Amino acid sequence: MKRIEVKLSLGVVAPLLDVIKSVSDSLDDDLAAAVQLERVDEDLRHAWRAELVASQNGDVQNLLALFDSEFFASGVVNFDESNADAILRACAAVRLRLKGGYLEDLTDESLESGEVDLDAFPDDQRRYFMCYLFLATVQELVIEHLEPSIS
């Protein structure tokens, strides 16, 4: 099984984990991306949405679980084929919520390129943006090293 170990700076990542946790709390009963289910029966819509929310939140909890006491002792986080898909989905959900709720003033271009003036941001928005970039980097690592269709 493919596995990657990433050594991260605790001082940099710890505040970003706080952002991820606060965003995950905002996702407790909400989907990061709206799903249109108008043509579906009300009971089916409710059940489907509940299942999607539960799956999304499970993925985010799996992401947060990677940053456990072992991570705080060593600074190392491990990604492998067994958690790759959940990590990709969790990163996407948190990034969508960050983009839609905290970084909505930024264009897609500036978000994806990372070319922004961080000094112009208030502290909170700077942390949200850095978290957005961190999760994008995690996604890139997982896709590059663990996604079977690419290797």
Side-chain angles (χ1 to χ4, degrees), residues 9 22-23 25-26 32 44 47 49 85 88 96 103 129 142 144:
S9 167
S22 71
V23 170
D25 291 345
S26 78
L44 179 58
R49 184 182 180 287
D85 288 339
L88 289 173
L96 283 168
L103 301 170
F129 181 73
V142 169
E144 182 179 337

Side-chain angles (χ1 to χ4, degrees), residues 5-150:
E5 282 188 358
V6 182
K7 176 88 170 158
L8 300 168
S9 167
L10 293 173
V12 172
V13 174
L16 303 180
L17 295 175
D18 291 340
V19 171
I20 295 170
K21 175 66 176 123
S22 71
V23 170
S24 76
D25 291 345
S26 78
L27 291 170
D28 274 348
D29 193 36
D30 199 18
L31 288 170
V35 177
Q36 302 300 321
L37 303 170
E38 289 86 26
R39 296 182 183 173
V40 178
D41 168 273
E42 181 70 29
D43 291 335
L44 179 58
R45 181 177 334 144
H46 178 71
W48 190 7
R49 184 182 180 287
E51 186 175 322
L52 290 172
V53 168
S55 177
Q56 165 192 272
N57 294 340
D59 290 341
V60 174
Q61 291 310 309
N62 286 336
L63 172 65
L64 286 168
L66 294 174
F67 300 94
D68 57 8
S69 58
E70 183 179 320
F71 166 75
F72 282 98
S74 67
V76 174
V77 66
N78 296 294
F79 304 106
D80 60 43
E81 291 173 322
S82 70
N83 65 16
D85 288 339
I87 298 309
L88 289 173
R89 289 189 304 264
C91 289
V94 174
R95 288 179 72 210
L96 283 168
R97 178 52 54 97
L98 286 168
K99 181 183 181 303
Y102 304 98
L103 301 170
E104 60 193 353
D105 295 338
L106 298 175
T107 65
D108 289 344
E109 239 178 67
S110 61
L111 279 172
E112 294 307 316
S113 70
E115 294 178 17
V116 298
D117 180 13
L118 284 178
D119 294 331
F121 288 175
D123 286 343
D124 282 348
Q125 192 175 29
R126 187 178 305 130
R127 275 194 335 221
Y128 297 138
F129 181 73
M130 296 307 296
C131 185
Y132 186 91
L133 291 181
F134 169 68
L135 293 172
T137 302
V138 168
Q139 286 179 302
E140 289 172 8
L141 282 170
V142 169
I143 290 169
E144 182 179 337
H145 295 286
L146 297 177
E147 192 60 32
S149 62
I150 295 174

